[in-house]
Structures are given as structure tokens and as C-alpha cells.
Amino acid sequence: MTLPAGDLEVHGETVARPPEAERKAIAGRSPTRIALDRLRKDPIAVVCFLIVVLFAAIAVFGGLIQDLLGVSTETVRATDVIHPVTRLPLEGPPTGTFDPDHPFGVAPGNGTDNLAVWIEGCRTSLYLATVAAVLSTIIGVTLGLIAGFMGGIVDSIISFATDLFLTFPFLVMALAISPILNDRFGDDTDKLRFASFYSLVAILVVFGWMGVARLVRGEVLSLREREFVKAARVIGVPTHRILIREMLPNLIAPIVISFSLGLPAFVAAEAGLSFLGIGVFGRESWGQTINAATTWWEDYPLYLLEPVLGIAILVVALNLLGDALRDAFDPKTRR
Amino acid sequence: MFAFLVKRILSGFLTIMLVSMIVYALFWYGPKSPALQLCVQETNGRCGPTSPRLADYEERLGYNNPVYEEYGKWVKGLVIDRTIMLGKTPYECPAPCLGLSFRDKTLVSEQLKDKFPVTVSLAVGAASLYLLIGVTVGALAARRRGTLADKLLVSSTLVFSSIPYYLVALLSFLLLTLNTSIFPDVAYTPLLDNPAKWASGLLLVWLVMGIFGATSYTRYSRGAMVESLSEDYVRTAKAKGLSARTVVVKHALRSALVPVVTIFGLDFAFLLSGTVFTEQIFDLEGIGKWGLDATYIQDLPVVQATSLVLAVAVVVANIVVDIIYSFLDPRVRLS
């Protein structure tokens, strides 16, 4: 709604318009707007956001970056870069100095380029975590909405399922599914690559939706009784429209927060499972590099530290960003 | 109290039943042929997916019967002795029968008896350590709220607890036992054989798990203490002239412990999952490593048993926590 220019007429009397600055001060701001403004003033959040953007850029433009730097994951002739006896790289770390052809050095044993593998690992991590976080948020929000809005027996069933899944440790499930996949697709590398990725996503999603569902259910329980929802019902708005147009916009905060805290959890889980040797197959992963690098620790610590720092920095940045988001959305926190 | 206990145990039992069915179904329908691995091993690889030998093995293991019948037999085996046909030889499996390991034909339940104390030692030691450190430090920080030490503590625990656990464990193993041998002998000795050796061998592991876990408990208990210290009854207690010690420990801390205990119950799943990493990294022969090793060689009965035991442990821990709850908080009425 826009006001006509000039002075206003109220009950036949002319009222002077308030000056421009005063009007701006009372302009309404949406909760999301307020949260983003608070976030922008939070130095930790800004730094973490930049770090996350950097990692995301590495993941998205990974192929391009590898071409630019002239590195690739393709196997090299090990005899060209690897010492025949110690199996350590001939040039670059740990024995030599910085090698511009291989900025992160080459892997001991097989001689592949560390930087290229690192970039591919970053891609796997972020890709898998994003897919898993999006799916688990969608499922959690849907189930939470239904449980909170419908109430009764539906609510009881969904809440029981939530509790059931919360008690079951997800690592155990990952442990159980890994040999089955190997058995089923072990002889077909392409299928195993595909299956191991999506079954990992599935496990993470199946054990990742409960937090969101609980939060959303709780919010919906209180939103359901609010006047605007009752009003919408009275004027005959269909249920699906109430859920999507009236409820969902009010659930932005819990959804954004649980999505942003889900991402680091999934990044950590992917790398952890790969470290145990039950993660993705046929893709580079930071966890696999760590697993391979532990045996070289005493001669070549850098080989282990590269993926460790990758995971640690990304996960910490994502977590702190999620925490900052939660604080920004919470009107009770003071900074 | 009694009615609550019965209800809680019944629902826990229902959860365990459901979990066992899921696990059973997973290993029934999951693999191409559940007997293939055993058959390949027994016949030195002369067993293809279509060979009559495999059909023979499947028949003997009961995979041609309906799944509910075999599940029934399996459940019955938990209370009554049964005989299992592995290949041509029958094996006695006394109750509680969890099947026989495909690898060495030993009883899974017998192996479990060896592995269980290791995992329990790890979990109990670590949990008591992190509850002790976490609650003490959290309570102290809450009493000195707003000081520099408090702020430093809060922000450092936030960062530290964001780092994935397995990275912390791996780096401390590499740095403290391999490189510097500050803790040279990480090993499990049964408690009854030599209590001193038991404690010294697991000390590093407890410290790593304890300090890492304590970071989040410090935050929880600090938050809860800050809240309860500002309650009216704490002021009343102070006004009555009780000593500061009594006020803090008996009045404030007791109610602050309630949310901490809740989180502890939920965290038990994490603790057990964490032992998979811990046992793998520190090379301890507990349930986690046992299950993991079994996934590498597709020893299905062992993986099945591991999943089940860990899930049961989590369910039981949750029931215990609910009972502790009622003792801690006089406001919680169990009915």
C-alpha cells in the first residue's frame, strides 16, 4: 500500500506527513530481514560465511581449478615421482621443498597429485552433505507439519517413529549396509559407485530428519492455535494452503537453522565413514585419504594434515555459522 | 513409579523387537544370497551364484523357508538351544544363540562375551570423566559468569566441540602414542586380572573421549546452572542463610542436572558409535572394531549381532536415564 503524496486528511483535518527519516525508522521488517541484519554485524558469522563460500566455490569449480593449476587425479607412472625403496615422493614434501607442479605434494606409494585429490574430496563431501541436508530437511519438515497439524493418532505414530530412529545409532546402520552393498554390486564398479553414494545419502537422511521434525512439530502445535490460522480456517482455506501459505513462512527459522547445522554433521559423517572404509566407493574422499595417510604419518605428516585441515576448517566454519544463524533468529539473545 | 517402569520397559521392548526385525529383514533380503560368502569360503571359491552347492547351503541355513518362520526360530534361539547347519556339519548353539561366525565357526555369543567388557570399559570410563569435567567446569563457569575466563571457556568449547571426534582421536593417538610415547601402552587388560594395568592402558582413550565429550557438557551445564542460579528458590535458600556451598550444590546444581541427564541419555548413541572410531584408531578389540572387521569380510551373523547389541544398549540406556530422572527432579512425577 502506498500513501498519496502531500499531507494526509484524517477525519476532515489535515495532518502533516511525518518527515522521511522518521517514517523509515518505523518501517516493519520481517524476522528473516532482522536476522540477516544481525548476522551481517557478527564478525564470526561473516568470516565463517566467507570460508564456506570459498569451499563451495572449490567444490563447484573444482574441474576448472584443477585445469588452471595443471593438476589431475589421473594416475601417473609411480616410478617418475616415487622413490623405489622408501615409496616417498622424489620432489616436494616431505623431503624436498615446495613443488609448483604439485602444490600439495604427491601421495606416497602411488604418486597421485594431492591437491587434485583434495579438491575432488571437497566436492564429494559438500555434494553429498548438501543432497542429504536438503532431503532430510524436506522429510523432517513434512512429517513435522503433518504430525503437529493433524494431531491424534497420526501425531502419535510420527512421534513414536521419531523416538525410535533417535535411539538407533546411525553408524551401526551404516556398518550393516556396507557389506550388503558390496555383496550386491561388488562385481560392477559403476553400479557400486552409484549405489554406495546414494545409500550413504539414504542412511544419512533416514537418521537425520528427526531433529527438524521435532522442532517443526513443536512450532506447528503453537501456530495452529494462533488467530491468523483460525481465521484462514473460518474463511474456508483448504488445509494444504494453510500448511504451505500460513504455516511454512513462520517456520523459516527452525528450517534454516537445522539445515545449516545438518550440513557440517553430514560432512563429518561422510568423511568418518570413508575413514573407516565403509563410505563412498569410486570417488575421492577426505576420509579415504586420512585412512591411507595414517600409515605414512611418521615420514610424511603433511599428507595426513591436508585432508584433516580440510575437514576441520569446513566443519567448524559450518557449525559456527549455524550457531550464529540460530542466535540471529532468536530474539532473546543479546550481543 | 511401578506403572511407569512397566510402561517404559514395555515400550523399550517394543523398540528392540522392531529393531531386531529391521536388522533381520535387512540381512535376509539385502544380500544376493546370504549363504554365498559362507559357501565360497567353505569350498575354496568353487561356489558361483548359480552353482548347486550354493542352493545346498541356502537350504541348510534355512533360506528357503518363509522369513517369519526363520525369524521365529532366531528369536526362539535367544532362549532355547538350537542347532545350526553350516555346510554339512551341525553346530550346537546354546541359548542365547546369536548364530555362528562365518569366519571361524565360533559362537557369536561367546565372542561377544570377550568384546563387550572392552566397549563397556571405554564407555563407562569416558562417560564418567566427561560428566565429571563437564559439570564441574560448567558450574564453575556459571558462578563466574561474564568474566574473561568464562567467555574464553565458552568460545573455546564451541570451536573444539565442532571438530569431528575421530580427527581429535586420530591426532591424539598419532601425536601422543606414536610420536612422543607419552602414553605408550594403549591396550585392554581385563579389570579383574590387573586393575592398575586396566586403568593405565585405557587412560589415554578415556582422556581423549572425556575431554572431547566434556566440551559440550560444559556448555549445557553452564547454561542450565546460569538459569537455575537465578531461580527464586535459590534466592530463598540464600536468604535463609545457607552456606554458598549448600546453595550451589544442593539447590542449584540438582535442578541443573536434569537437562544434562536428558542430553546424556540421547548422547549414549553417540558414545557407542564413537567407540567404533575409538576402537579402530586405538586398536582395541571391542564391539565396534569387531563389527567393523566383520563388515570387511562380510561375516553377516557378526554384523547382525553387533547392530542388535548396540541398539539394545542404547534403548536400555534411555530407560535407565528416565529412571534417574525421577530421582533427580522432585517435580517429575512418573505416571
Side-chain angles (χ1 to χ4, degrees):
Chain A
M1 194 177 80
T2 50
L3 291 169
D7 290 348
L8 303 167
E9 231 183 58
V10 179
H11 298 300
E13 287 174 44
T14 315
V15 180
R17 283 177 72 92
E20 195 74 20
E22 230 170 278
R23 249 184 295 145
K24 267 212 178 117
I26 56 161
R29 292 188 305 164
S30 74
T32 314
R33 184 85 252 146
I34 297 173
L36 286 180
D37 283 347
R38 294 180 92 180
L39 208 58
R40 210 170 293 141
K41 289 189 196 115
D42 182 351
I44 296 175
V46 173
V47 172
C48 290
F49 179 72
L50 290 178
I51 294 174
V52 171
V53 168
L54 177 72
F55 274 88
I58 292 176
V60 174
F61 304 110
L64 207 65
I65 297 171
Q66 288 178 47
D67 290 344
L68 272 178
L69 295 171
V71 294
S72 92
T73 51
E74 270 157 46
T75 34
V76 285
R77 269 220 327 237
T79 44
D80 293 346
V81 285
I82 294 295
H83 192 280
V85 181
T86 60
R87 310 293 292 158
L88 284 168
L90 292 170
E91 281 177 39
T95 43
T97 47
F98 180 74
D99 178 5
D101 290 342
H102 306 285
F104 277 24
V106 295
N110 59 12
T112 44
D113 183 85
N114 283 344
L115 180 61
V117 172
W118 193 89
I119 291 174
E120 288 298 321
C122 176
R123 288 182 115 168
T124 308
S125 246
L126 275 174
Y127 179 40
L128 187 137
T130 313
V131 174
V134 168
L135 288 178
S136 59
T137 307
I138 291 176
I139 292 176
V141 169
T142 315
L143 287 177
L145 266 178
I146 294 173
F149 197 77
M150 305 264 283
I153 182 89
V154 180
D155 183 23
S156 305
I157 294 173
I158 294 180
S159 298
F160 178 75
T162 313
D163 291 342
L164 178 70
F165 280 97
L166 273 176
T167 51
F168 203 52
F170 107 93
L171 195 65
V172 171
M173 209 59 202
L175 213 65
I177 288 196
S178 161
I180 292 177
L181 283 177
N182 269 324
D183 170 84
R184 213 156 251 279
F185 306 107
D187 36 2
D188 188 340
T189 334
D190 278 340
K191 267 195 197 153
L192 185 61
R193 180 174 190 268
F194 181 84
S196 74
F197 184 84
Y198 284 98
S199 65
L200 192 52
V201 169
I203 296 170
L204 292 178
V205 171
V206 165
F207 291 96
W209 58 271
M210 294 86 69
V212 200
R214 272 194 167 178
L215 268 178
V216 168
R217 176 181 168 273
E219 286 284 306
V220 170
L221 279 181
S222 79
L223 279 178
R224 193 172 64 167
E225 307 300 328
R226 296 268 286 277
E227 289 81 357
F228 65 93
V229 177
K230 286 190 172 159
R233 264 205 213 154
V234 168
I235 59 170
V237 178
T239 309
H240 67 270
R241 264 183 81 88
I242 294 183
L243 287 179
I244 293 167
R245 299 298 294 269
E246 309 287 337
M247 298 280 202
L248 210 52
N250 285 295
L251 296 170
I252 286 293
I255 294 172
V256 168
I257 293 164
S258 46
F259 176 79
S260 62
L261 287 175
L263 272 180
F266 293 145
V267 168
E270 183 276 319
L273 291 180
S274 301
F275 167 65
L276 292 179
I278 53 177
V280 292
F281 174 86
R283 283 165 210 269
E284 305 296 345
S285 159
W286 283 337
Q288 286 167 11
T289 316
I290 294 179
N291 192 1
T294 42
T295 46
W296 295 96
W297 168 255
E298 273 162 289
D299 299 317
Y300 193 175
L302 189 68
Y303 182 42
L304 180 93
L305 289 177
E306 284 161 359
V308 164
L309 283 177
I311 298 171
I313 293 172
L314 179 61
V315 170
V316 169
L318 279 169
N319 264 322
L320 294 183
L321 187 61
D323 277 336
L325 258 174
R326 182 167 51 193
D327 287 349
F329 269 111
D330 186 354
K332 276 181 268 172
T333 51
R334 304 234 182 285
R335 292 204 161 232
Chain B
M1 180 72 194
F2 181 71
F4 165 80
L5 267 184
V6 171
K7 207 177 134 194
R8 195 68 192 77
I9 288 170
L10 273 182
S11 87
F13 193 70
L14 186 66
T15 313
I16 292 172
M17 284 279 288
L18 273 173
V19 167
S20 76
M21 279 180 201
I22 294 171
V23 171
Y24 199 85
L26 198 67
F27 283 95
W28 183 278
Y29 292 111
K32 256 184 286 188
S33 160
L36 182 62
Q37 207 53 39
L38 178 71
C39 173
V40 167
Q41 198 184 316
E42 294 268 285
T43 56
N44 296 326
R46 287 193 297 274
C47 178
T50 49
S51 79
R53 278 208 188 98
L54 180 63
D56 229 34
Y57 272 89
E58 281 182 1
E59 172 67 41
R60 288 212 192 87
L61 277 170
Y63 285 109
N64 292 340
N65 305 337
V67 61
Y68 53 84
E69 210 172 273
E70 284 299 309
Y71 176 73
K73 273 189 209 161
W74 182 81
V75 172
K76 215 168 121 191
L78 293 177
V79 278
I80 303 168
D81 303 354
R82 62 184 282 207
T83 314
I84 293 178
M85 298 291 292
L86 288 185
K88 289 180 184 63
T89 26
Y91 287 89
E92 282 303 317
C93 182
C97 169
L98 289 167
L100 289 141
S101 160
F102 282 175
R103 175 166 50 180
D104 48 13
K105 312 286 179 305
T106 49
L107 288 172
V108 170
S109 50
E110 283 300 314
Q111 287 196 41
L112 189 63
K113 259 182 224 157
D114 295 341
K115 317 280 180 182
F116 202 62
V118 182
T119 303
V120 169
S121 303
L122 285 180
V124 170
S128 20
L129 202 61
Y130 68 58
L131 274 182
L132 190 72
I133 300 177
V135 172
T136 319
V137 175
L140 287 177
R143 287 205 67 193
R144 288 164 185 68
R145 186 152 84 109
T147 58
L148 184 68
D150 175 41
K151 279 180 188 157
L152 271 180
L153 186 81
V154 169
S155 40
S156 63
T157 53
L158 192 64
V159 175
F160 190 59
S161 63
S162 310
I163 303 172
Y165 164 70
Y166 53 88
L167 293 185
V168 178
L170 180 64
L171 286 181
S172 31
F173 169 71
L174 294 175
L175 289 172
L176 296 178
T177 49
L178 276 190
N179 278 21
T180 51
S181 55
I182 296 174
F183 293 92
D185 53 344
V186 173
Y188 175 78
T189 326
L191 174 63
L192 295 177
D193 289 7
N194 189 341
K197 222 174 172 189
W198 172 75
S200 72
L202 296 177
L203 185 63
L204 173 66
V205 189
W206 287 338
L207 282 176
V208 170
M209 288 178 91
I211 293 173
F212 184 83
T215 53
S216 46
Y217 281 87
T218 305
R219 271 191 299 152
Y220 301 141
S221 44
R222 181 188 167 277
M225 267 306 263
V226 164
E227 214 161 275
S228 69
L229 278 175
S230 63
E231 292 275 358
D232 287 343
Y233 59 80
V234 170
R235 199 174 29 182
T236 311
K238 271 186 202 158
K240 276 199 298 191
L242 296 181
S243 68
R245 192 190 159 84
T246 318
V247 174
V248 170
V249 175
K250 277 208 169 158
H251 289 75
L253 189 62
R254 189 168 157 188
S255 78
L257 277 180
V258 173
V260 175
V261 168
T262 318
I263 295 162
F264 180 72
L266 289 174
D267 252 14
F268 203 75
F270 155 79
L271 188 64
L272 284 176
S273 314
T275 61
V276 177
F277 286 108
T278 312
E279 286 162 14
Q280 175 74 2
I281 289 169
F282 291 99
D283 201 19
L284 294 164
E285 295 293 332
I287 292 181
K289 188 165 190 299
W290 182 46
L292 192 65
D293 288 342
T295 65
Y296 295 147
I297 57 162
Q298 302 189 25
D299 194 346
L300 299 186
V302 172
V303 182
Q304 195 177 8
T306 327
S307 329
L308 202 65
V309 168
L310 288 184
V312 169
V314 171
V315 172
V316 171
N318 276 317
I319 296 178
V320 171
V321 162
D322 275 357
I323 295 167
I324 295 177
Y325 226 66
S326 60
F327 287 109
L328 270 178
D329 191 345
R331 284 168 305 185
V332 176
R333 286 280 163 271
L334 303 171
S335 53

